[in-house]
Amino acid sequence: MTIVDGGDSPSRLQGKVSAIIVCWILGFGSLVSWNSMLTIGDYYYNLFLYYHPSRVLTLVYQPFAFGTMTILAYNESKINTRGRNIFGYSLFFAIGFSHIREGGLGSFIGIYAFVASFGVADACVQGGVVGDLSFMLPEFIQSFFAGLAASGAVTSALRLITKAAFEKFDNGLRKGTMKYFRSKAASEGTKTVKADLVAAGIQTKDDLTFSILQLEDSASQVERLSNKQLFLQNVDYALDLYLIYVLTLSIFPGFLYENTGEHQLGTWYPLVLIAAYNVWDLISRYLPLVKFLKIESRKALTIAILSRFLLIPAFYFTTKYGDQGWMIVLVSFLGSTNGHLTVCDSAS
């Protein structure tokens, strides 16, 4: 096995920074389309008033994502990881150009298809990329997850801008959108990690790249654990990650769109809540870079994740008795704990 002795040379540092940026871009690109769909939930409520679209998004998305990831994990030795990543990003790109322009059951079924495809693409990309990055540096995994959250923050910002524009010029999103399409009708009559680390065995010269893995002598390397052994050794991490998103998705975004009532912000209220969640989710994914804020104890991590379930009664009582300020604070806390605990769990 060829190992690069890169030391702390400028080229190695420059390569590391470049890789961190690439990881961030990969994370951003993988979920920008999905987060776009989440942030225009208010538009879907105009089209599909009786179908509870925000709840359907997560209910359909998760089984496809989890099922696909399970199948890919079981057959990982037979699957080309680079091809898996390219397929996932290609699927994200293709769905990103798809649009729903009118209401009705047929269009709502189309939403089902898009969301299911997002789940498949997400499983391909996140499982594959995180798997590759786990062979390298924890900073790369953190940067990838930060990019995921950044896509939500950016799409929320864009959604607030477009809502303001439509309300100012077209008196509402639905009216503005339909006006656009009617006018239009009238006028017309990622490369991934270099070759999967060259089969996880070869590294190139220092002036072209940098040392990814500090491996000891090959004779001291232990045989690769089976999937079952890996799962049993990390079952608590897997369960923790599952519990993080069970809690998050039970509230975000469906509850925020349907059960938070009417307040002074009016139709802006759910969009502000979604934006608050996304912004704090992004900020909190950088907190583990501060050594004393990173939760490294498995027991402490599990306790923190289980404690989040206290947010369920907190949201219930805030909805009944609190004002919009308290709800924004609570949603911000939901986002910050989601991002922080996700990175701590995944990078451990």
Side-chain angles (χ1 to χ4, degrees):
M1 179 178 291
T2 304
I3 301 176
V4 178
D5 183 14
D8 294 320
S9 64
S11 60
R12 180 178 181 272
L13 180 61
Q14 182 180 7
K16 180 178 178 181
V17 172
S18 299
I20 288 175
I21 294 173
V22 169
C23 292
W24 191 94
I25 294 172
L26 288 174
F28 182 89
S30 66
L31 280 191
V32 66
S33 297
W34 168 243
N35 280 311
S36 296
M37 180 172 282
L38 291 180
T39 55
I40 60 172
D42 59 324
Y43 172 58
Y44 289 139
Y45 275 93
N46 285 324
L47 292 179
F48 313 110
L49 180 61
Y50 302 106
Y51 295 116
H52 303 285
S54 290
R55 296 189 184 279
V56 169
L57 292 180
T58 51
L59 288 176
V60 174
Y61 175 88
Q62 286 303 312
F64 279 92
F66 182 77
T68 302
M69 193 170 293
T70 301
I71 294 171
L72 292 174
Y74 183 79
N75 297 284
E76 57 84 22
S77 61
K78 305 175 185 178
I79 296 174
N80 183 295
T81 303
R82 195 172 68 161
R84 162 186 174 171
N85 293 340
I86 292 174
F87 171 78
Y89 278 107
S90 299
L91 188 55
F92 273 128
F93 182 79
I95 303 169
F97 283 97
S98 303
H99 302 281
I100 296 297
R101 305 182 181 185
E102 57 184 15
L105 181 59
S107 295
F108 193 65
I109 293 174
I111 291 287
Y112 272 101
F114 291 161
V115 172
S117 299
F118 274 129
V120 173
D122 192 18
C124 290
V125 168
Q126 289 204 46
V129 174
V130 171
D132 278 341
L133 298 183
S134 66
F135 286 104
M136 293 177 249
L137 296 175
E139 292 91 333
F140 294 167
I141 297 178
Q142 183 277 329
S143 183
F144 176 76
F145 279 112
L148 297 178
S151 66
V154 170
T155 53
S156 285
L158 293 174
R159 178 66 193 94
L160 293 173
I161 293 171
T162 56
K163 180 174 176 60
F166 275 119
E167 286 199 346
K168 180 177 180 180
F169 296 110
D170 291 303
N171 191 28
L173 177 62
R174 179 177 173 82
K175 181 179 177 181
T177 304
M178 298 313 295
K179 179 182 177 179
Y180 166 78
F181 286 118
R182 286 168 181 162
S183 300
K184 183 174 183 296
S187 66
E188 292 177 353
T190 159
K191 294 183 180 181
T192 58
V193 181
K194 186 179 179 180
D196 293 332
L197 297 181
V198 192
I202 304 295
Q203 296 176 329
T204 56
K205 296 181 180 180
D206 178 61
D207 58 349
L208 296 177
T209 184
F210 52 92
S211 179
I212 302 296
L213 304 173
Q214 296 299 320
L215 300 177
E216 298 177 356
D217 186 77
S218 58
S220 66
Q221 298 300 305
V222 296
E223 184 179 354
R224 184 193 183 281
L225 298 177
S226 67
N227 288 343
K228 181 179 179 180
Q229 290 172 318
L230 287 171
F231 177 76
L232 291 177
Q233 286 188 9
N234 297 280
V235 64
D236 56 332
Y237 286 132
L239 181 60
D240 285 346
L241 196 62
Y242 174 78
L243 292 175
I244 289 172
Y245 284 93
V246 163
L247 187 278
T248 297
L249 295 175
S250 68
I251 298 170
F252 177 90
F255 178 88
L256 303 184
Y257 275 112
E258 295 192 10
N259 301 104
T260 49
E262 297 292 334
H263 296 274
Q264 294 176 349
L265 289 172
T267 58
W268 287 85
Y269 188 48
L271 298 182
V272 170
L273 294 179
I274 298 296
Y277 170 88
N278 284 327
V279 168
W280 281 102
D281 184 41
L282 170 60
I283 293 172
S284 65
R285 293 186 185 227
Y286 287 97
L287 295 181
L289 294 177
V290 181
K291 182 68 175 178
F292 74 90
L293 292 178
K294 184 178 180 181
I295 304 175
E296 297 180 317
S297 166
R298 287 184 162 187
K299 184 177 180 180
L301 187 61
T302 300
I303 292 173
I305 290 169
L306 291 176
S307 298
R308 289 181 81 229
F309 281 85
L310 293 173
L311 286 171
I312 293 177
F315 270 96
Y316 172 78
F317 285 109
T318 302
T319 299
K320 287 184 68 70
Y321 306 112
D323 60 19
Q324 60 189 21
W326 283 109
M327 182 61 74
I328 292 172
V329 170
L330 203 56
V331 170
S332 299
F333 184 75
L334 176 71
S336 62
T337 54
N338 182 83
H340 189 197
L341 294 175
T342 294
V343 173
C344 289
D345 184 78
S346 301
S348 296

PDB file of all heavy atoms in Angstrom, residues 33 89-101 114 118:
ATOM      1  N   SER A  33     -32.778  20.396  -3.605  1.00  0.00           N
ATOM      2  CA  SER A  33     -34.078  20.177  -4.252  1.00  0.00           C
ATOM      3  C   SER A  33     -35.133  19.740  -3.242  1.00  0.00           C
ATOM      4  O   SER A  33     -36.277  20.209  -3.261  1.00  0.00           O
ATOM      5  CB  SER A  33     -33.940  19.122  -5.356  1.00  0.00           C
ATOM      6  OG  SER A  33     -33.066  19.560  -6.371  1.00  0.00           O
ATOM      7  N   TYR A  89     -26.984  11.736  -7.222  1.00  0.00           N
ATOM      8  CA  TYR A  89     -26.944  13.154  -7.582  1.00  0.00           C
ATOM      9  C   TYR A  89     -27.664  13.414  -8.901  1.00  0.00           C
ATOM     10  O   TYR A  89     -28.296  14.461  -9.068  1.00  0.00           O
ATOM     11  CB  TYR A  89     -25.495  13.637  -7.674  1.00  0.00           C
ATOM     12  CG  TYR A  89     -24.900  13.992  -6.343  1.00  0.00           C
ATOM     13  CD1 TYR A  89     -23.941  13.169  -5.733  1.00  0.00           C
ATOM     14  CD2 TYR A  89     -25.289  15.137  -5.655  1.00  0.00           C
ATOM     15  CE1 TYR A  89     -23.394  13.484  -4.503  1.00  0.00           C
ATOM     16  CE2 TYR A  89     -24.750  15.462  -4.425  1.00  0.00           C
ATOM     17  CZ  TYR A  89     -23.807  14.635  -3.854  1.00  0.00           C
ATOM     18  OH  TYR A  89     -23.273  14.946  -2.629  1.00  0.00           O
ATOM     19  N   SER A  90     -27.570  12.464  -9.838  1.00  0.00           N
ATOM     20  CA  SER A  90     -28.281  12.619 -11.113  1.00  0.00           C
ATOM     21  C   SER A  90     -29.787  12.618 -10.888  1.00  0.00           C
ATOM     22  O   SER A  90     -30.527  13.384 -11.525  1.00  0.00           O
ATOM     23  CB  SER A  90     -27.886  11.494 -12.077  1.00  0.00           C
ATOM     24  OG  SER A  90     -26.501  11.519 -12.355  1.00  0.00           O
ATOM     25  N   LEU A  91     -30.250  11.759  -9.981  1.00  0.00           N
ATOM     26  CA  LEU A  91     -31.675  11.704  -9.680  1.00  0.00           C
ATOM     27  C   LEU A  91     -32.130  12.998  -9.011  1.00  0.00           C
ATOM     28  O   LEU A  91     -33.199  13.542  -9.342  1.00  0.00           O
ATOM     29  CB  LEU A  91     -31.970  10.499  -8.783  1.00  0.00           C
ATOM     30  CG  LEU A  91     -33.442  10.161  -8.522  1.00  0.00           C
ATOM     31  CD1 LEU A  91     -34.198   9.964  -9.837  1.00  0.00           C
ATOM     32  CD2 LEU A  91     -33.554   8.895  -7.657  1.00  0.00           C
ATOM     33  N   PHE A  92     -31.347  13.509  -8.078  1.00  0.00           N
ATOM     34  CA  PHE A  92     -31.662  14.803  -7.471  1.00  0.00           C
ATOM     35  C   PHE A  92     -31.775  15.892  -8.531  1.00  0.00           C
ATOM     36  O   PHE A  92     -32.690  16.715  -8.519  1.00  0.00           O
ATOM     37  CB  PHE A  92     -30.568  15.212  -6.473  1.00  0.00           C
ATOM     38  CG  PHE A  92     -30.765  14.678  -5.085  1.00  0.00           C
ATOM     39  CD1 PHE A  92     -29.757  13.993  -4.439  1.00  0.00           C
ATOM     40  CD2 PHE A  92     -31.963  14.882  -4.408  1.00  0.00           C
ATOM     41  CE1 PHE A  92     -29.929  13.514  -3.150  1.00  0.00           C
ATOM     42  CE2 PHE A  92     -32.151  14.408  -3.124  1.00  0.00           C
ATOM     43  CZ  PHE A  92     -31.128  13.723  -2.497  1.00  0.00           C
ATOM     44  N   PHE A  93     -30.826  15.900  -9.462  1.00  0.00           N
ATOM     45  CA  PHE A  93     -30.797  16.921 -10.508  1.00  0.00           C
ATOM     46  C   PHE A  93     -32.032  16.819 -11.399  1.00  0.00           C
ATOM     47  O   PHE A  93     -32.657  17.835 -11.730  1.00  0.00           O
ATOM     48  CB  PHE A  93     -29.529  16.753 -11.342  1.00  0.00           C
ATOM     49  CG  PHE A  93     -29.367  17.788 -12.420  1.00  0.00           C
ATOM     50  CD1 PHE A  93     -28.900  19.054 -12.113  1.00  0.00           C
ATOM     51  CD2 PHE A  93     -29.671  17.489 -13.740  1.00  0.00           C
ATOM     52  CE1 PHE A  93     -28.737  20.012 -13.103  1.00  0.00           C
ATOM     53  CE2 PHE A  93     -29.513  18.434 -14.739  1.00  0.00           C
ATOM     54  CZ  PHE A  93     -29.049  19.699 -14.420  1.00  0.00           C
ATOM     55  N   ALA A  94     -32.399  15.590 -11.765  1.00  0.00           N
ATOM     56  CA  ALA A  94     -33.558  15.399 -12.648  1.00  0.00           C
ATOM     57  C   ALA A  94     -34.855  15.844 -11.978  1.00  0.00           C
ATOM     58  O   ALA A  94     -35.687  16.518 -12.584  1.00  0.00           O
ATOM     59  CB  ALA A  94     -33.650  13.935 -13.072  1.00  0.00           C
ATOM     60  N   ILE A  95     -35.024  15.477 -10.697  1.00  0.00           N
ATOM     61  CA  ILE A  95     -36.250  15.845  -9.986  1.00  0.00           C
ATOM     62  C   ILE A  95     -36.318  17.355  -9.791  1.00  0.00           C
ATOM     63  O   ILE A  95     -37.399  17.944  -9.764  1.00  0.00           O
ATOM     64  CB  ILE A  95     -36.326  15.132  -8.621  1.00  0.00           C
ATOM     65  CG1 ILE A  95     -36.233  13.620  -8.795  1.00  0.00           C
ATOM     66  CG2 ILE A  95     -37.638  15.461  -7.915  1.00  0.00           C
ATOM     67  CD1 ILE A  95     -36.046  12.871  -7.502  1.00  0.00           C
ATOM     68  N   GLY A  96     -35.158  17.985  -9.667  1.00  0.00           N
ATOM     69  CA  GLY A  96     -35.120  19.425  -9.451  1.00  0.00           C
ATOM     70  C   GLY A  96     -35.759  20.222 -10.574  1.00  0.00           C
ATOM     71  O   GLY A  96     -36.199  21.354 -10.375  1.00  0.00           O
ATOM     72  N   PHE A  97     -35.858  19.628 -11.763  1.00  0.00           N
ATOM     73  CA  PHE A  97     -36.471  20.318 -12.896  1.00  0.00           C
ATOM     74  C   PHE A  97     -37.944  19.969 -13.058  1.00  0.00           C
ATOM     75  O   PHE A  97     -38.581  20.389 -14.020  1.00  0.00           O
ATOM     76  CB  PHE A  97     -35.724  19.975 -14.188  1.00  0.00           C
ATOM     77  CG  PHE A  97     -34.425  20.698 -14.329  1.00  0.00           C
ATOM     78  CD1 PHE A  97     -33.235  20.078 -13.957  1.00  0.00           C
ATOM     79  CD2 PHE A  97     -34.370  21.997 -14.788  1.00  0.00           C
ATOM     80  CE1 PHE A  97     -32.026  20.742 -14.067  1.00  0.00           C
ATOM     81  CE2 PHE A  97     -33.164  22.671 -14.900  1.00  0.00           C
ATOM     82  CZ  PHE A  97     -31.990  22.039 -14.542  1.00  0.00           C
ATOM     83  N   SER A  98     -38.486  19.203 -12.133  1.00  0.00           N
ATOM     84  CA  SER A  98     -39.892  18.804 -12.200  1.00  0.00           C
ATOM     85  C   SER A  98     -40.732  19.774 -11.384  1.00  0.00           C
ATOM     86  O   SER A  98     -40.307  20.241 -10.321  1.00  0.00           O
ATOM     87  CB  SER A  98     -40.060  17.381 -11.664  1.00  0.00           C
ATOM     88  OG  SER A  98     -39.247  16.475 -12.384  1.00  0.00           O
ATOM     89  N   HIS A  99     -41.929  20.072 -11.854  1.00  0.00           N
ATOM     90  CA  HIS A  99     -42.779  21.051 -11.184  1.00  0.00           C
ATOM     91  C   HIS A  99     -44.234  20.594 -11.208  1.00  0.00           C
ATOM     92  O   HIS A  99     -44.667  19.910 -12.132  1.00  0.00           O
ATOM     93  CB  HIS A  99     -42.699  22.424 -11.872  1.00  0.00           C
ATOM     94  CG  HIS A  99     -41.314  22.973 -11.936  1.00  0.00           C
ATOM     95  ND1 HIS A  99     -40.700  23.577 -10.870  1.00  0.00           N
ATOM     96  CD2 HIS A  99     -40.415  22.995 -12.949  1.00  0.00           C
ATOM     97  CE1 HIS A  99     -39.483  23.948 -11.218  1.00  0.00           C
ATOM     98  NE2 HIS A  99     -39.290  23.612 -12.477  1.00  0.00           N
ATOM     99  N   ILE A 100     -44.947  20.949 -10.172  1.00  0.00           N
ATOM    100  CA  ILE A 100     -46.389  20.735 -10.112  1.00  0.00           C
ATOM    101  C   ILE A 100     -47.064  22.081 -10.319  1.00  0.00           C
ATOM    102  O   ILE A 100     -46.830  23.036  -9.582  1.00  0.00           O
ATOM    103  CB  ILE A 100     -46.806  20.131  -8.756  1.00  0.00           C
ATOM    104  CG1 ILE A 100     -46.197  18.744  -8.584  1.00  0.00           C
ATOM    105  CG2 ILE A 100     -48.319  20.056  -8.655  1.00  0.00           C
ATOM    106  CD1 ILE A 100     -46.650  17.720  -9.591  1.00  0.00           C
ATOM    107  N   ARG A 101     -47.903  22.168 -11.329  1.00  0.00           N
ATOM    108  CA  ARG A 101     -48.464  23.463 -11.703  1.00  0.00           C
ATOM    109  C   ARG A 101     -49.944  23.600 -11.371  1.00  0.00           C
ATOM    110  O   ARG A 101     -50.498  24.690 -11.494  1.00  0.00           O
ATOM    111  CB  ARG A 101     -48.254  23.691 -13.206  1.00  0.00           C
ATOM    112  CG  ARG A 101     -46.807  23.572 -13.631  1.00  0.00           C
ATOM    113  CD  ARG A 101     -46.639  23.862 -15.106  1.00  0.00           C
ATOM    114  NE  ARG A 101     -45.254  23.732 -15.524  1.00  0.00           N
ATOM    115  CZ  ARG A 101     -44.812  24.021 -16.744  1.00  0.00           C
ATOM    116  NH1 ARG A 101     -45.654  24.457 -17.660  1.00  0.00           N
ATOM    117  NH2 ARG A 101     -43.536  23.878 -17.052  1.00  0.00           N
ATOM    118  N   PHE A 114     -42.391  12.193  -6.747  1.00  0.00           N
ATOM    119  CA  PHE A 114     -41.207  13.022  -6.547  1.00  0.00           C
ATOM    120  C   PHE A 114     -40.585  12.745  -5.183  1.00  0.00           C
ATOM    121  O   PHE A 114     -39.365  12.593  -5.054  1.00  0.00           O
ATOM    122  CB  PHE A 114     -41.570  14.511  -6.639  1.00  0.00           C
ATOM    123  CG  PHE A 114     -41.962  14.963  -8.013  1.00  0.00           C
ATOM    124  CD1 PHE A 114     -42.682  16.127  -8.189  1.00  0.00           C
ATOM    125  CD2 PHE A 114     -41.625  14.222  -9.136  1.00  0.00           C
ATOM    126  CE1 PHE A 114     -43.051  16.560  -9.449  1.00  0.00           C
ATOM    127  CE2 PHE A 114     -41.990  14.638 -10.412  1.00  0.00           C
ATOM    128  CZ  PHE A 114     -42.709  15.808 -10.562  1.00  0.00           C
ATOM    129  N   PHE A 118     -36.938  11.331  -4.179  1.00  0.00           N
ATOM    130  CA  PHE A 118     -36.020  12.034  -3.284  1.00  0.00           C
ATOM    131  C   PHE A 118     -35.476  11.084  -2.216  1.00  0.00           C
ATOM    132  O   PHE A 118     -34.295  11.131  -1.869  1.00  0.00           O
ATOM    133  CB  PHE A 118     -36.719  13.206  -2.610  1.00  0.00           C
ATOM    134  CG  PHE A 118     -36.701  14.478  -3.409  1.00  0.00           C
ATOM    135  CD1 PHE A 118     -37.872  15.180  -3.638  1.00  0.00           C
ATOM    136  CD2 PHE A 118     -35.518  14.985  -3.918  1.00  0.00           C
ATOM    137  CE1 PHE A 118     -37.865  16.359  -4.366  1.00  0.00           C
ATOM    138  CE2 PHE A 118     -35.495  16.158  -4.646  1.00  0.00           C
ATOM    139  CZ  PHE A 118     -36.676  16.852  -4.879  1.00  0.00           C
TER     140      PHE A 118
END
